[in-house]
Amino acid sequence: MKTKLLLLSLLTAVFTTQIQAQNRTSVNAMNAEISDNLDLRAVADIFGDSRDLQDFERRLNDPELQISNLDLNNDNEVDYLRVIETVENRTHLIIVQSVIDEDVYQDVATIDVEKDRNNKIHVQIVGNEFMYGQNYIYQPVYYNTPVIYASFWSTNYRPYYSTWNWNYYPSYYYAWNPFPVFRYRNNININLNINNNYNYVNNRRSNRGVVLYNSRRSNGYERQHPNASFSRRNDNVNNRYELDQRRVSRNETSYSNRRAIVQRGTSQNRTSPSRQRTESSRDYSQNRTSPSRQVTPQRPESSREYSQNRTSPSRQALPQRAESSREYFENRTSPSRQVTPQRAESQNRGNTSRPSAPQRTESQRGNSSSRNENRRS
């Protein structure tokens, strides 16, 4: 039993460590493109807003701004970025380095600040070739002249060299966990100054800056991961700018494909209502025709009933009229028949008058007979 319990505890420990490792690498910058975790346009933006290089380093590592999202040493904490400078005549070379370990640094970008013969200042932010590919350069055009320019050519100027290193950081700084790439991009897009222009160029202006950089180069991460260069990570593009263009084209094609799918769906949805409309119109026409078909047999019946109703009253009216006429004639004749008793009365009167005549004749005859008897006697 003890051995079984020990085996179970070991298995659970192994599984938990694997799960923790997976959770840890899920937010790690190494899972995505390394160059996605530091936008050089944001570096150029805060460079133009800084008073000097010390202020510029503070802005690079400000936990509230969160300009960087690099985690090259995979400790689940954003690396501290230190700033060092080399000056020669009219050229200032500023190097931004990621602090990976004790006395181990990796160059991320360089800033060339150079004044030409006409006292015009030119600034270029150059991405490290191992990180961003070849000739990945931004040349900012600031809306207002940066204050930091005045500090470079002041009297008794001393090149800036950061005193911060591994586990020895300023009081304002604290490490934060790296964000997913889309959140980092949203943060950068919000913080960028829209009044400035960040022009991409593929030619480095300062030749002296190249020479100065070769003498102060640091490549600790490159030595640890020699196969993690940009050319190995991306075979078909030369630098980060071409990668962005390809991503944009892919997004546009995917957006166009999605739009085509949506349009097809909407067209199908439009055709289906039209089909439904046609079907409904057909149903409506059938409903319109079916009542007519139903009405046609009803009309003869109703007409027949109506004709019968029209003829039946006439037929019924004829006997009524005949009866009424008969009654009328009877009524007309009945009074005449009733009048006949009056006539009978008159006849009776006449009869009464007529029997008087026989009476008279009888009396006359009696008289005559009496006369004759008298005569005879």
Side-chain angles (χ1 to χ4, degrees), residues 263-282:
Q263 288 178 354
R264 289 176 185 175
T266 52
S267 62
Q268 290 177 358
N269 292 326
R270 289 179 181 176
T271 53
S272 61
S274 62
R275 291 178 182 176
Q276 291 177 359
R277 288 180 182 174
T278 53
E279 290 176 358
S280 61
S281 61
R282 290 177 183 175

Side-chain angles (χ1 to χ4, degrees), residues 188-301:
I188 295 302
N189 291 328
I190 291 171
N191 291 325
L192 282 178
N193 189 351
I194 60 174
N195 295 321
N196 300 329
N197 293 324
Y198 309 99
N199 301 321
Y200 170 77
V201 294
N202 55 7
N203 292 321
R204 192 165 183 174
R205 182 182 179 87
S206 176
N207 295 322
R208 193 60 190 169
V210 176
V211 176
L212 293 175
Y213 176 68
N214 291 328
S215 62
R216 302 295 300 270
R217 183 179 178 184
S218 297
N219 56 356
Y221 182 79
E222 184 177 351
R223 291 195 305 269
Q224 294 176 1
H225 304 278
N227 295 325
S229 62
F230 185 88
S231 60
R232 295 290 183 88
R233 297 194 306 268
N234 303 279
D235 297 333
N236 299 323
V237 293
N238 292 324
N239 55 21
R240 172 58 193 253
Y241 182 78
E242 295 180 2
L243 179 63
D244 290 336
Q245 296 298 318
R246 178 168 294 185
R247 287 176 178 176
V248 170
S249 63
R250 288 178 182 176
N251 291 329
E252 288 178 353
T253 53
S254 63
Y255 177 74
S256 62
N257 292 329
R258 291 177 184 175
R259 190 173 181 181
I261 292 168
V262 170
Q263 288 178 354
R264 289 176 185 175
T266 52
S267 62
Q268 290 177 358
N269 292 326
R270 289 179 181 176
T271 53
S272 61
S274 62
R275 291 178 182 176
Q276 291 177 359
R277 288 180 182 174
T278 53
E279 290 176 358
S280 61
S281 61
R282 290 177 183 175
D283 293 334
Y284 179 70
S285 62
Q286 290 177 0
N287 292 326
R288 291 185 63 185
T289 54
S290 62
S292 61
R293 292 176 182 175
Q294 292 176 359
V295 167
T296 50
Q298 289 177 0
R299 285 181 181 175
E301 292 177 358

